Amino acid sequence: QVQLVESGGGVVQPGRSLRLSCAASGFSFSSYPMHWVRQAPGKGLEWVAVISFDGSSQNYADSVKGRFTISRDNSKNTLYLQMNSLRAEDTAVHYCVREVAYGGSYFDFWGQGTPVTVAS
Amino acid sequence: EIVMTQSPATLSVSPGERATLSCRASQSVGSNLAWYQQKPGQAPRLLIYGASTRATAIPARFSGSGSGTEFTLTISSLQSEDFGLYYCQQYNNWWTFGQGTKVEIK
C-alpha cells in the first residue's frame, strides 16, 4: 500500500536550518509530482512547494521562496525539503503529499507529517 | 492568489442529519476543486475531486457539487466517524485551501 513517511522535524532556533525527508513506498515514486504542505498549530493548510516527477522543475509559495528548497532522489524514493533561515512563522506540521499522476493536480495521498518548531 | 472561503466555520449536526458545507473561490476555478477530511491528529484524506467525483472508498453519503466559484459538500446522513474538519482546495491556479469547516456533534 502507499506509504509516505516524513522525518527530520524538530525544534530549531530562528535563523537556523533543517532538512525534512519523506520516504515513499508502495507506488512508482518517479511517476508522481510531489508536494510539501504545512499546517501551523490550530490553523489551516498551506501549500509550500511542488516538484515535478523527474525533479526538473520546482515551485514555491511566496512565504518560503528563497529560503526553502524542494528536491527528490528517485533512486531512493525520497523527497526532501531543505529549510533555511527559519522563522517563528514556519512552525507547523509539514506533510509530504502525492499529487495524482494524471487527470488533475489534486492530492490523493498524505503522509502523517513531521512537526517543526522554530523557537529560541 | 485565489482565495478560498468556507462557511460556516463550525457546523453543529446531530447524527443522521444532513450537513451542507460551502466553499467560495475569489475567481473561477472551473471544476478544479477538491474536498478533504481531517480528524484530530491525523493527516487530511481526499474525499472529492473534480468538484463532484468521490475518491476511492469514500461512502456515497458524501457528495460534491458546483463549478466556477461556488461549491458545496453534502453529507446526507452524518455518521459518528464523519465529525471533524473539512477543507476545500482549488487546484486550477497553483494550490490554495479554505480555512476549514468544523463539523461537530450537536
Side-chain angles (χ1 to χ4, degrees):
Chain A
Q1 71 280 22
V2 174
Q3 281 200 316
L4 297 170
V5 180
E6 302 94 336
S7 61
V11 180
V12 62
Q13 293 179 328
R16 304 298 292 265
S17 300
L18 207 59
R19 188 176 86 154
L20 306 183
S21 299
C22 170
S25 60
F27 66 102
S28 179
F29 179 70
S30 61
S31 298
Y32 290 80
M34 296 294 296
H35 299 249
W36 289 97
V37 174
R38 68 186 181 183
Q39 186 170 35
K43 302 296 184 182
L45 300 165
E46 180 190 18
W47 172 76
V48 172
V50 60
I51 188 166
S52 59
F53 69 97
D54 60 359
S56 62
S57 68
Q58 307 86 30
N59 280 289
Y60 301 90
D62 287 344
S63 58
V64 307
K65 200 171 292 183
R67 300 187 299 122
F68 289 12
T69 301
I70 188 171
S71 62
R72 65 192 297 162
D73 186 337
N74 285 346
S75 68
K76 295 181 178 179
N77 290 343
T78 303
L79 177 72
Y80 302 101
L81 185 67
Q82 177 68 43
M83 304 185 294
N84 298 332
S85 303
L86 282 161
R87 306 167 179 168
E89 54 265 37
D90 296 319
T91 294
V93 174
H94 287 68
Y95 294 101
C96 168
V97 185
R98 188 179 81 170
E99 179 185 322
V100 294
Y102 59 91
S105 57
Y106 54 92
F107 304 155
D108 68 343
F109 200 82
W110 300 59
Q112 287 302 303
T114 186
V116 172
T117 301
V118 184
S120 53
Chain B
E1 175 182 313
I2 298 177
V3 177
M4 307 300 292
T5 303
Q6 291 184 242
S7 61
T10 303
L11 189 60
S12 298
V13 185
S14 299
E17 290 188 340
R18 174 187 296 261
T20 302
L21 290 68
S22 296
C23 175
R24 173 176 293 179
S26 60
Q27 64 189 78
S28 177
V29 298
S31 295
N32 296 314
L33 190 286
W35 290 93
Y36 301 87
Q37 177 195 63
Q38 186 179 34
K39 297 182 181 180
Q42 297 185 16
R45 176 177 71 144
L46 176 67
L47 296 176
I48 300 283
Y49 62 91
S52 61
T53 303
R54 279 189 304 276
T56 302
I58 300 303
R61 63 181 181 271
F62 290 91
S63 63
S65 63
S67 66
T69 61
E70 300 284 343
F71 300 90
T72 301
L73 174 70
T74 301
I75 311 171
S76 60
S77 177
L78 264 162
Q79 306 298 303
S80 57
E81 62 266 29
D82 299 336
F83 294 96
L85 274 165
Y86 290 81
Y87 293 96
C88 63
Q89 176 211 34
Q90 68 82 19
Y91 51 94
N92 189 63
N93 186 349
W94 303 105
W95 300 270
T96 50
F97 295 88
Q99 80 279 19
T101 290
K102 181 181 180 182
V103 177
E104 63 177 24
I105 300 174
K106 187 174 182 180

